[in-house]
Amino acid sequence: MIHTYLGWIGGFLFAICALPQVIKTYKIKKAEDLSWLFLLFWFFGEVFTLIYIIVDDNILNIRHYPLYLNYIFNLLLVLYLIYAKKYY
């Protein structure tokens, strides 16, 4: 049972680790220091890993909800940073 709590705590911490960058970018309305290559690698890494986890979970008939939280929230954050990079 403890591993479930550890999974949720880890998923939550990974999910929010980009939040300071998103908040800073939103406040200063600048994203010039963010690399396009970094943002694209991050975005596609999140997408492909989320797909892998979902497919694998369906095959094994289990659910890793902490991982879903992490990857979906990070996708939202990186999508905002990509938007900011393009329009700021």
Side-chain angles (χ1 to χ4, degrees):
M1 189 66 169
I2 187 82
H3 68 284
T4 302
Y5 294 118
L6 293 175
W8 276 106
I9 292 168
F12 175 75
L13 292 174
F14 272 133
I16 65 167
C17 69
L19 207 49
Q21 181 64 53
V22 168
I23 292 168
K24 179 182 177 184
T25 301
Y26 179 77
K27 284 182 178 178
I28 66 172
K29 302 291 191 241
K30 285 185 180 179
E32 60 196 27
D33 290 342
L34 295 173
S35 160
W36 274 113
L37 193 57
F38 164 72
L39 292 173
L40 292 175
F41 280 2
W42 182 12
F43 174 77
F44 286 110
E46 298 286 341
V47 168
F48 294 148
T49 305
L50 180 60
I51 291 169
Y52 166 77
I53 292 167
I54 291 170
V55 169
D56 199 49
D57 281 3
N58 283 327
I59 291 170
L60 298 173
N61 200 29
I62 58 174
R63 300 292 173 261
H64 287 101
Y65 294 114
L67 295 177
Y68 300 163
L69 166 76
N70 173 25
Y71 289 103
I72 291 169
F73 192 70
N74 267 298
L75 277 171
L76 295 174
L77 296 178
V78 74
L79 282 171
Y80 170 75
L81 291 175
I82 290 170
Y83 168 85
K85 178 75 173 169
K86 182 171 173 69
Y87 293 104
Y88 295 161

